[in-house]
Amino acid sequence: MDDQPVLDPLGALRAPGDPAADVYLTGTVFLDIIFTGLDSAPVRGTESWARGMGSSPGGVANMATALARLGLRTTLAAAFGDDVYGDYCWDSLESGEGIDLGPSRRVSGWHSPVTVSMAYEGERTMVSHGHRAPPPEDAVPVCPVPARAAVASLGHGGEAGESDEAWIGRAAASGTRIFADVGWDDTGRWDPADLEGLRHCAAFLPNAEEAMRYTRTTCPREAARRLADLVPLAVVTMGSEGACAVDSATGRTAEVPALLVEALDPTGAGDVFVAGFVTGTLAGWPLADRLAFASLSAALSVQEFGGSLSAPGWIEIAAWWEQVKALAGQARADDEALRRYAFLDGLLPPGLRRGPLRRAVPTIGFRPA
């Protein structure tokens, strides 16, 4: 596993008796097929050709891979089909990324869910197909593995149900810090009751549209303040405007602007942002540094194909930071980035050389020659 992390952000905090897992995840793994280089949305009755294509594990695999590439010991509980797609996703996550799949299951006769994502004009449109895995493989383990943190999806769009809230409550009661995100509610109800699980959570990280709809506000910053009444830490991503956070436990607030990059594929950027924020939180960084690091991780990810395999590792983060510093004093210097990301100097060890990371490719594998 040549692309495994070269930096352990929690190294100074680890002690005997700590949980073996830093982060526990559960959810659905998809095979993602991503088309990029489309000039516009496909038009009914016509054929469109994409200039780029990639395949990679998707769904909850986006978050799992992003966390693992940042050096967190990640455990995933998910069902995998016993088809070729399932073989590829399992091998990619376990062997390729070092993710612990101990609580996961292979399901005989069940085909892997698939998502086709089309990226154009800085956004993406997705079409998915799949079926729930048959019992008992679709059930979350009754007792989630001990972990420092877990990431859970709440709300109607996250398909959270009674069993999901049960494991979240058990995990929180055992000392696991729960970071929650949310999915799009295609019913249009945006019922605040769907966020009942926030009472178990340490942080909530919706995007601006989700946050405003659940709080019935028209400003993402106001939405963050409203959500902070429900959860100790509310973080709202605001796309090209960056991200803001309200920590009701300490009274602190923070906001960072977005990094301007040329986006190839935004698939999974939200998951990468959450992974970066979880990493900084577990490492004990200041709130503004956590926001900045999460924004940087997401910005680097959109410059690559796919969701999971676009996630950056420490090599990419270090390379970006060296480039920013190299431009210091030049006309193209980003002085704001120099100030905002100065904390990386004390974090990144010199001489990071391992890599490169695996990236999404048009097919899921070639036969041996």
Side-chain angles (χ1 to χ4, degrees):
M1 296 183 289
D2 292 337
D3 57 357
Q4 290 306 292
V6 295
L7 186 154
D8 181 358
L10 306 186
L13 304 176
R14 299 194 186 281
D18 284 350
D22 293 327
V23 185
Y24 171 80
L25 300 170
T26 186
T28 302
V29 174
F30 290 76
L31 174 73
D32 278 358
I33 301 172
I34 307 101
F35 292 103
T36 65
L38 290 164
D39 296 321
S40 61
V43 178
R44 183 175 61 182
T46 67
E47 181 178 11
S48 300
W49 279 80
R51 291 187 291 274
M53 176 185 168
S55 300
S56 65
V60 71
N62 296 340
M63 182 84 67
T65 300
L67 289 163
R69 288 187 172 186
L70 291 176
L72 297 190
R73 300 170 183 175
T74 304
T75 295
L76 172 62
F80 289 77
D82 65 348
D83 51 8
V84 174
Y85 290 172
D87 292 343
Y88 164 73
C89 290
W90 184 288
D91 183 66
S92 178
L93 298 175
E94 183 180 58
S95 300
E97 305 296 336
I99 295 166
D100 172 24
L101 299 181
S104 294
R105 299 289 183 268
R106 299 301 298 268
V107 184
S108 178
W110 180 65
H111 75 79
S112 299
V114 176
T115 291
V116 175
S117 176
M118 293 164 282
Y120 54 88
E121 300 175 353
E123 282 294 341
R124 81 276 190 267
T125 296
M126 297 184 292
V127 178
S128 298
H129 173 74
H131 306 280
R132 290 186 66 91
E137 283 78 9
D138 64 334
V140 173
V142 175
C143 295
V145 300
R148 297 173 188 265
V151 181
S153 195
L154 300 178
H156 179 88
E159 297 183 354
E162 182 178 353
S163 61
D164 298 279
E165 189 166 331
W167 81 257
I168 293 169
R170 285 192 294 272
S174 70
T176 297
R177 299 166 73 178
I178 310 296
F179 295 77
D181 63 10
V182 70
W184 183 260
D185 185 354
D186 55 13
T187 70
R189 294 186 304 112
W190 300 96
D191 186 351
D194 290 340
L195 304 183
E196 181 67 21
L198 285 179
R199 71 182 191 275
H200 302 301
C201 298
F204 183 40
L205 299 96
N207 66 34
E209 190 67 23
E210 295 158 349
M212 290 188 293
R213 287 177 181 267
Y214 274 118
T215 58
R216 276 54 173 177
T217 59
T218 57
C219 171
R221 296 167 184 83
E222 176 61 24
R225 289 190 287 270
R226 296 277 187 91
L227 291 170
D229 292 334
L230 306 176
V231 67
L233 178 59
V235 180
V236 176
T237 57
M238 303 184 294
S240 60
E241 292 187 56
C244 64
V246 177
D247 187 334
S248 60
T250 65
R252 295 189 180 94
T253 62
E255 183 169 336
V256 297
L259 285 168
L260 300 179
V261 298
E262 186 174 346
L264 173 66
D265 176 17
T267 305
D271 294 319
V272 176
F273 180 96
V274 174
F277 193 84
V278 170
T279 299
T281 301
L282 293 183
W285 302 348
L287 181 58
D289 291 353
R290 285 180 266 164
L291 275 185
F293 183 76
S295 295
L296 169 60
S297 300
L300 294 178
S301 77
V302 303
Q303 297 176 81
E304 300 286 346
F305 279 118
S308 62
L309 299 185
S310 71
W314 291 107
I315 298 294
E316 288 72 26
I317 293 166
W320 175 85
W321 180 232
E322 289 303 317
Q323 182 182 43
V324 170
K325 293 191 293 183
L327 294 175
Q330 301 182 22
R332 293 183 297 155
D334 188 341
D335 293 333
E336 185 175 3
L338 279 170
R339 292 190 298 270
R340 189 171 303 281
Y341 289 93
F343 70 93
L344 291 175
D345 273 331
L347 178 64
L348 296 168
L352 293 178
R353 291 290 181 267
R354 192 181 298 178
L357 292 170
R358 295 177 311 115
R359 299 301 186 189
V361 293
T363 186
I364 62 172
F366 292 96
R367 295 186 178 89

